[in-house]
Amino acid sequence: MRDWKHGFLAITLVAGASFAGTANAQGTLRIGMTAADIPLTTGQTDQGGEGMRFIGYTLYDPLVSWDLLSADRPSELVPGLATEWSVNEDDQTVWTFKLREGVTFHDGSPFTAETAVWNFDKLLDESSEQYDPRQSAQGRSRIPTVESYRAIDEYTLEITTTEPDATLPYQLSWILMSSQANWEALDKDWERVAQEPSGTGPWQMETFVPRERAEMVPFKDYWDAERVPQLDSMILIPLPEPNARSAALLSGQVDWIEAPAPDTIPAMEGNGFVISSNTYPHNWTWHLSRLDGSPWNDINVRKAANLAIDREGMGALLGGLMVPAEGFLPPSSNWFGEPEFEVRYDPEAAKELLAEAGYGPDNRLAVKALISPSGSGQMLPLPMNEYVQQNLAAIGIDVEFSVVEWNQMINLWRAGAADPAVEGAESINFSYFVQDPFTGLIRHLSCDLIAPDGTNWGHYCDPEMQALFEEIQTTFDVEAQNEVLRRTHEKYVDDALFLMVAHDVAPRALSPRVEGYVQAQNWFQNFSSITMTD
Amino acid sequence: MFVYFLRRLILVMPVAFGVSVICFMLVQIAPGDPLTAIMPVDATAEQQAAMRAAYGLDKPLPVQYVVWVGNLIQGDMGRSIATGRPVADEVFGAVQNSLLLAVSAAIIAFPIGVLLGFVAGYFRDTILDRIVTAISIAGVSVPNYWLGIVLVIIFSVNLGWLPSMGAGPGGSQDWSWNWSHLRHLILPAATLAVVPIGIVARTVRALAGDILSMDFVLALYAKGMSRGDVIRHVARNAAATALSVMGLQLGYLLGGSILIETVFNWPGSGYLLSNAIFQRDLPLLQGTILVLALFFVAMNLVVDVAQAAIDPRIKRT
């Protein structure tokens, strides 16, 4: 019976592929995720970048998407469910989005401007029938300046922002479109939608067992012929423990694992497994307190600390799976610019700068740092922080750690450096998603977002930086905006505003049977090109 | 016997009350905000307050406790903060998986432990005794998560005989005793069985040794009873204690297998508990701890009653 079903599925898919003229169903890809549960399936995902990668950009589409098809350049925004967008020249708070025609959800219902409005209401309008607090918690903060929205006609959407905000297209890449018809068919119950989700994405849900597995199959009517999946199916399995993930791959129970433990990589490579990695917009930093009395207010101290870190040595510690930081953004970023301060390993120069700041062998500087033993995106925080501690001690900075569990760390990050719960720590080790202007740069240092009203943990506020942020938000030409972003990043580096240590390279280990994967320089990835060999 | 059972059952009530208070309070005093997982990273103070009110976390602790217990009595354990799913569904599904694992481990551990212990006790102070003692000490001492990893490396990675993770083909486990399901059970159950094997063996060894040196054993031999019949008498005398130890071990196996379930990615209560802790998922954490604690209480009750049934002297004391 099972074989018969598989046979039928294969025949159906092949027939669909022939019809579409592109698909070529081949095999099943089993993925071991680092998450402890299948990310939220109703539309707006949880579990951060991993949730968006595996459930978000597979089952769903945003209006504005990312180019995930090439590995050799940073990803850029591309049309998604919107084919084009523009801002009103007279009133820069009003945007018009032309929507893609002929797109259907997995349940067969059409995607229109009304559906898009319904989706914004599910996140932003607490009085609407479809408002979902869980999705809202994940999506609302991604579109902070969206004030209103309306359907002009079937395929034209208008969005109005509270103030001119040229970063809106980046923000919209987070917002995923769920099917209204599916929600209505399932008694308007999001819990039922979680079991039977319906998006417009290249994959559709076949089987969903919470905490255990999600099985997806290709959506043969997907609007983008280039991204119709070639596999028969893709299975997501939560495997949060690194050794369990590695063992599952080595014993052939999964074909792909996220974030293999560095010390298992030689064994994997020795057994023919492929370690795939690429630079991507992620960093591993110490966010510094700029409250009165913080030693990090002295630029010489900040620069000295940045020059004290032996990043090559840390790379060896991580089995080569990091890019040494040269700034806050990865060196390959479009927005890196040409900062004057060279972030490098130079302990002698560091000692001189520290001496200028009034510290030396007889007057060592003592600082306190908040760190966590684990956490999403935190790489290997304990050995990495101990390495930083040794490097800083070598130039005369003594670090005392305050180690808190990751969940508590998020609370303390939200609370900000001035909160009593932080107990005087002058820095917090936090890794950041730096893929878009707001999430990557603005939210960390904007005067408007000083904690606890935002995520400016260190209470930094600088008029010059604030002017740059405003310029980013009011520069609507993409190239001109990129230029402002470069200047902003140059100031990040030249003022040594963070202790800039490393960038993760998103390592994943693949079975030699996995073919056709291109690792985009992005948090999200394209799985449609993948096939499995026998 | 019925009166004894009733008395023990009544004694369970205050214990269950105490357990519920401790479960509720333990997770309240842990640092961290339970709403972190679902709140926007830049949620304003107003949004945070509204969310806290929506989950009833703005009320005084005694009020929260009363509401929680009131809902529990009606069979409502609340919804997981992280997933929105009913806690009862999450917990009972996971407990069923853990129970399957614990029972399998007990099925392995009890006969092996009893046999080893009895052999060591019967042949006390011989080389056989020393070997068994060394095995049982090793069983109790070896970190079982480490042993699990070693078994995975040998039997899954190197030999490829058994799966390293998951609860069954297709993801979900059930009580089907076919080969596909058993393959997933073998490694975690064997790993989990190691500690109780050591504990049961050491207990039975001590018991058997003591009983064999008692006067009534000499009397049995003096009456001309065969060695087999004497062993049967000794076994009967040791059975109640061995059963009690194993019963308590079953409680530990169910609640104390967090590391094993993590190593083998077994979707049981230990695994659920660790997720709930890391996500600071208050309702899920409280529900899981409560169910495990009550299971432990229930196991104690069952063990006491079973002991009394086997050894009538117990209910008189």
Side-chain angles (χ1 to χ4, degrees):
Chain A
M1 183 68 181
R2 191 178 170 80
D3 288 339
W4 181 86
K5 269 187 182 171
H6 277 173
F8 180 76
L9 180 66
I11 291 165
T12 309
L13 290 171
V14 168
S18 309
F19 184 73
T22 51
N24 176 27
Q26 284 187 32
T28 294
L29 176 68
R30 299 159 301 172
I31 296 178
M33 301 189 296
T34 64
D37 194 2
I38 304 295
L40 194 59
T41 56
T42 42
Q44 217 55 52
T45 61
D46 58 358
Q47 316 259 10
E50 190 172 39
M52 287 291 285
R53 177 158 63 244
F54 287 121
I55 291 290
Y57 273 60
T58 50
L59 298 179
Y60 297 94
D61 285 310
L63 295 176
V64 182
S65 194
W66 289 95
D67 171 17
L68 303 175
L69 301 180
S70 58
D72 54 0
R73 56 189 158 83
S75 298
E76 292 180 347
L77 292 182
V78 293
L81 291 177
T83 54
E84 55 185 279
W85 50 91
S86 59
V87 68
N88 188 315
E89 284 181 12
D90 299 326
D91 180 356
Q92 292 182 325
T93 62
V94 179
W95 292 72
T96 304
F97 290 81
K98 287 285 177 196
L99 304 188
R100 194 175 295 280
E101 297 184 23
V103 174
T104 60
F105 286 96
H106 303 151
D107 57 79
S109 62
F111 172 74
T112 64
E114 287 293 350
T115 327
V117 168
W118 181 87
N119 269 279
F120 280 103
D121 278 344
K122 88 180 172 186
L123 304 177
L124 301 177
D125 182 3
E126 292 177 31
S127 66
S128 72
E129 210 179 1
Q130 70 270 29
Y131 178 74
D132 180 7
R134 200 164 301 280
Q135 289 190 71
S136 178
Q138 304 302 328
R140 182 190 283 266
S141 66
R142 304 292 186 189
I143 43 175
T145 55
V146 170
E147 185 175 48
S148 62
Y149 32 84
R150 65 188 179 105
I152 304 292
D153 59 41
E154 196 173 5
Y155 293 108
T156 309
L157 175 73
E158 183 183 275
I159 296 178
T160 304
T161 56
T162 50
E163 57 191 324
D165 187 355
T167 66
L168 183 68
Y170 289 101
Q171 297 172 20
L172 293 178
S173 68
W174 284 99
I175 305 303
L176 301 166
M177 298 291 150
S178 322
S179 164
Q180 178 179 356
N182 184 50
W183 176 76
E184 284 170 353
L186 296 172
D187 301 330
K188 302 181 178 180
D189 181 349
W190 284 114
E191 292 308 316
R192 288 191 62 192
V193 173
Q195 291 288 332
E196 299 172 58
S198 177
T200 62
W203 301 84
Q204 59 188 102
M205 188 72 85
E206 174 88 346
T207 311
F208 172 53
V209 183
R211 296 193 191 276
E212 290 181 41
R213 63 195 269 128
E215 185 166 348
M216 296 185 279
V217 295
F219 177 39
K220 62 183 173 56
D221 294 329
Y222 188 56
W223 56 268
D224 184 353
E226 260 196 298
R227 288 192 63 212
V228 174
Q230 300 191 51
L231 292 163
D232 288 325
S233 64
M234 183 161 76
I235 298 173
L236 305 177
I237 302 168
L239 273 168
E241 211 285 312
N243 289 312
R245 275 201 303 280
S246 299
L249 181 72
L250 287 165
S251 61
Q253 285 181 273
V254 295
D255 311 295
W256 167 308
I257 60 168
E258 296 284 280
D263 54 359
T264 63
I265 286 175
M268 288 179 184
E269 289 179 323
N271 283 287
F273 291 86
V274 177
I275 306 300
S276 172
S277 67
N278 200 353
T279 185
Y280 78 121
H282 173 280
N283 69 23
W284 191 95
T285 67
W286 279 16
H287 197 148
L288 307 174
S289 166
R290 302 302 299 276
L291 292 170
D292 286 347
S294 168
W296 300 114
N297 282 325
D298 188 328
I299 189 169
N300 285 329
V301 175
R302 299 199 300 270
K303 284 188 170 178
N306 272 290
L307 293 173
I309 309 300
D310 176 8
R311 296 170 181 82
E312 294 299 328
M314 184 179 281
L317 176 78
L318 298 177
L321 294 175
M322 63 167 258
V323 172
E326 293 175 31
F328 191 73
L329 300 173
S332 60
S333 168
N334 271 342
W335 307 328
F336 191 84
E338 294 177 355
E340 288 174 13
F341 175 54
E342 189 187 344
V343 177
R344 64 187 193 282
Y345 179 46
D346 188 344
E348 293 312 313
K351 284 177 191 167
E352 285 173 24
L353 283 167
L354 208 56
E356 281 182 41
Y359 299 102
D362 301 327
N363 181 28
R364 294 175 69 86
L365 170 62
V367 295
K368 190 173 172 185
L370 272 169
I371 66 170
S372 64
S374 63
S376 170
Q378 294 291 88
M379 301 173 74
L380 297 177
L382 290 182
M384 288 171 77
N385 275 303
E386 282 166 4
Y387 199 88
V388 169
Q389 185 185 40
Q390 285 175 22
N391 283 168
L392 293 181
I395 64 159
I397 301 177
D398 295 321
V399 180
E400 178 198 346
F401 288 132
S402 175
V403 186
V404 296
E405 183 269 319
W406 174 237
N407 202 277
Q408 174 66 352
M409 180 98 147
I410 296 174
N411 286 326
L412 297 180
W413 176 62
R414 258 194 199 129
D419 194 277
V422 167
E423 295 180 344
E426 296 110 346
S427 65
I428 186 167
N429 167 222
F430 224 89
S431 58
Y432 287 126
F433 178 108
V434 288
Q435 192 156 301
D436 64 78
F438 177 76
T439 316
L441 297 170
I442 296 173
R443 68 173 176 151
H444 304 307
L445 299 180
S446 171
C447 302
D448 307 332
L449 298 172
I450 287 176
D453 295 330
T455 54
N456 178 349
W457 184 83
H459 291 233
Y460 171 92
C461 184
D462 178 89
E464 197 183 327
M465 184 67 91
Q466 200 65 18
L468 281 167
F469 290 159
E470 281 164 19
E471 198 176 343
I472 292 169
Q473 289 182 302
T474 51
T475 304
F476 289 86
D477 176 75
V478 173
E479 257 323 299
Q481 188 190 51
N482 284 343
E483 187 48 42
V484 186
L485 284 159
R486 284 182 203 112
R487 282 193 279 128
T488 306
H489 182 252
E490 284 165 5
K491 184 168 172 60
Y492 259 70
V493 181
D494 289 338
D495 290 353
L497 296 176
F498 289 75
L499 180 59
M500 298 165 278
V501 181
H503 305 283
D504 197 4
V505 290
R508 35 185 69 104
L510 319 179
S511 153
R513 294 178 58 228
V514 177
E515 288 196 341
Y517 172 53
V518 176
Q519 182 162 347
Q521 293 185 24
N522 198 289
W523 278 75
F524 317 135
Q525 297 294 319
N526 171 41
F527 302 97
S528 299
S529 62
I530 295 171
T531 58
M532 301 292 291
T533 58
D534 291 331
Chain B
M1 187 66 200
F2 178 73
V3 175
Y4 174 76
F5 174 71
L6 208 61
R7 203 169 59 228
R8 288 290 292 109
L9 194 62
I10 290 167
L11 280 174
V12 162
M13 304 297 175
V15 175
F17 171 71
V19 161
S20 74
V21 172
I22 291 170
C23 285
F24 184 79
M25 290 309 297
L26 270 182
V27 292
Q28 296 284 350
I29 58 177
D33 186 335
L35 296 177
T36 300
I38 60 161
M39 221 145 33
V41 286
D42 52 357
T44 63
E46 289 77 25
Q47 283 174 317
Q48 293 182 34
M51 194 75 91
R52 245 181 280 285
Y55 280 88
L57 298 174
D58 58 333
K59 297 185 175 66
L61 277 185
V63 176
Q64 285 187 45
Y65 174 76
V66 170
V67 171
W68 181 63
V69 170
N71 289 337
L72 275 179
I73 291 168
Q74 297 171 53
D76 178 9
M77 299 176 81
R79 283 181 179 267
S80 156
I81 286 178
T83 67
R85 295 191 283 265
V87 168
D89 291 357
E90 297 255 29
V91 174
F92 288 114
V95 165
Q96 181 177 294
N97 285 339
S98 285
L99 198 57
L100 179 65
L101 191 57
V103 168
S104 306
I107 289 171
I108 297 170
F110 190 67
I112 295 176
V114 167
L115 184 70
L116 287 178
F118 207 84
V119 167
Y122 197 81
F123 298 103
R124 207 161 190 168
D125 298 328
T126 65
I127 184 75
L128 209 55
D129 177 25
R130 279 192 280 277
I131 291 171
V132 170
T133 302
I135 291 171
S136 55
I137 289 174
V140 176
S141 312
V142 169
N144 56 7
Y145 65 90
W146 174 84
L147 185 67
I149 292 170
V150 170
L151 292 179
V152 163
I153 291 170
I154 296 171
F155 292 102
S156 301
V157 175
N158 290 340
L159 297 173
W161 291 351
L162 295 167
S164 69
M165 61 102 193
S172 281
Q173 178 59 287
D174 53 36
W175 294 80
S176 316
W177 294 98
N178 59 46
W179 178 233
S180 300
H181 282 88
L182 280 174
R183 287 182 75 238
H184 283 79
L185 254 177
I186 291 172
L187 285 185
T191 310
L192 206 53
V194 168
V195 170
I197 285 175
I199 291 172
V200 171
R202 287 184 63 74
T203 308
V204 171
R205 175 192 177 273
L207 272 172
D210 290 349
I211 294 167
L212 281 166
S213 62
M214 284 181 176
D215 290 343
F216 86 93
V217 176
L218 279 177
L220 292 175
Y221 277 123
K223 282 166 68 179
M225 205 171 267
S226 69
R227 179 178 286 190
D229 287 337
V230 172
I231 287 174
R232 242 192 331 273
H233 274 86
V234 173
R236 173 89 194 259
N237 275 276
T241 310
L243 195 69
S244 149
V245 170
M246 195 60 237
L248 293 178
Q249 282 303 307
L250 197 63
Y252 286 118
L253 288 177
L254 190 68
S257 55
I258 290 181
L259 292 174
I260 296 301
E261 291 189 356
T262 304
V263 167
F264 290 99
N265 214 53
W266 186 271
S269 52
Y271 187 62
L272 188 69
L273 197 59
S274 74
N275 285 341
I277 291 167
F278 283 117
Q279 294 176 309
R280 196 65 84 244
D281 192 337
L282 210 60
L284 187 59
L285 197 53
Q286 287 167 331
T288 312
I289 295 175
L290 182 72
V291 169
L292 291 178
L294 291 180
F295 181 84
F296 203 83
V297 172
M299 279 310 299
N300 268 314
L301 178 67
V302 170
V303 165
D304 282 356
V305 173
Q307 268 186 318
I310 293 170
D311 187 347
R313 286 172 298 179
I314 288 172
K315 61 184 174 225
R316 286 198 294 269
T317 53

